[in-house]
Amino acid sequence: MVSFDFDVKKIKNLVFDVGGILLGYRWEDMFKDHGTDREKALRIGRGLFDSEDWTLYDSGIISTKELIDRFCIKYPDLEEEARWFLNNAILMRVPREKVYEELKIIKEKGYKIYLLSNYSQELFELHTSDLPFRKITDGELVSYMVKTVKPNREIYEILRDRFSLNPIESVFFDDREDNVNGAIACGFNGVHIKDQSEELLLEYLRQF
């Protein structure tokens, strides 16, 4: 059984990242299904997700069109596959039904549930608008709404202030250790879900 390094009895608020926590991703499999070789797929993935442009995209500063146009200028040989990828981005997500069932149980026990995620508006709505966890959240803070991203200190402070959260009574779940550390630096409790493990996340949630 997993254990926390804080007192679970003091927790009233559970805050969740979305990608890698409430959703899995299969972007490499998308390319495989499309017939794109792995080397080219990885070049596209690195060129998009690891770029400053993607941070601007998550921050709501540039649009999907601007993102892909900038990418294609840098990598003209990847333009066809990259445009296909973003135009079919719904195929990237992997819903986690077991997690949603646990969230429903947690909500019924009286805990408050919040989202704190780096996401562009277009992809966030595309990936989550029809999923059940959106109906039970007590508050959502997505990077595009505030023009800043995790792990910048500002976004955790906005979360705290906007929803009047006591960080000591709150725990944040994220698949990136730097994002968890950012929350901890602002006084929140934090849990790192290594390797985006759904089973590890479920083990933690069942403690509530």
Side-chain angles (χ1 to χ4, degrees), residues 62-100:
I62 64 173
S63 66
T64 303
K65 182 180 184 305
E66 289 172 307
L67 172 71
I68 193 62
D69 286 349
R70 291 182 181 204
F71 178 87
C72 293
I73 289 172
K74 296 175 184 175
Y75 306 97
D77 61 313
L78 301 176
E79 178 172 359
E80 181 180 351
E81 290 87 352
R83 290 191 183 279
W84 171 86
F85 174 66
L86 287 175
N87 287 334
N88 293 274
I90 187 62
L91 301 176
M92 188 195 313
R93 71 171 191 175
V94 182
R96 294 182 161 182
E97 302 298 340
K98 292 180 181 179
V99 172
Y100 309 152

Side-chain angles (χ1 to χ4, degrees), residues 115-156:
L115 303 182
L116 178 63
S117 189
N118 289 349
Y119 243 113
S120 69
Q121 182 173 10
E122 182 175 339
L123 284 187
F124 180 69
E125 293 300 332
L126 181 68
H127 284 174
T128 70
S129 61
D130 62 337
L131 296 179
F133 68 83
R134 291 289 303 276
K135 298 177 181 178
I136 64 171
T137 56
D138 295 280
E140 302 178 350
L141 185 62
V142 186
S143 56
Y144 78 84
M145 299 175 179
V146 290
K147 302 297 189 288
T148 188
V149 296
K150 299 173 295 179
N152 295 339
R153 184 180 183 88
E154 181 183 11
I155 199 167
Y156 305 101

Side-chain angles (χ1 to χ4, degrees), residues 17-18 21 26 39 43 49-50 59 70 73 95 97 185:
D17 177 32
V18 175
I21 297 294
R26 58 179 302 277
E39 180 181 353
R43 285 182 63 208
F49 304 137
D50 296 340
S59 300
R70 291 182 181 204
I73 289 172
E97 302 298 340

Side-chain angles (χ1 to χ4, degrees), residues 18 21 27 31 52 57 88 90 92 103 126 150 167 170 174 181 192 200:
V18 175
I21 297 294
W27 65 269
F31 281 116
E52 178 62 26
Y57 184 50
N88 293 274
I90 187 62
M92 188 195 313
L103 291 185
L126 181 68
K150 299 173 295 179
S170 309
D174 199 294
N181 289 338
H192 176 212
L200 179 59

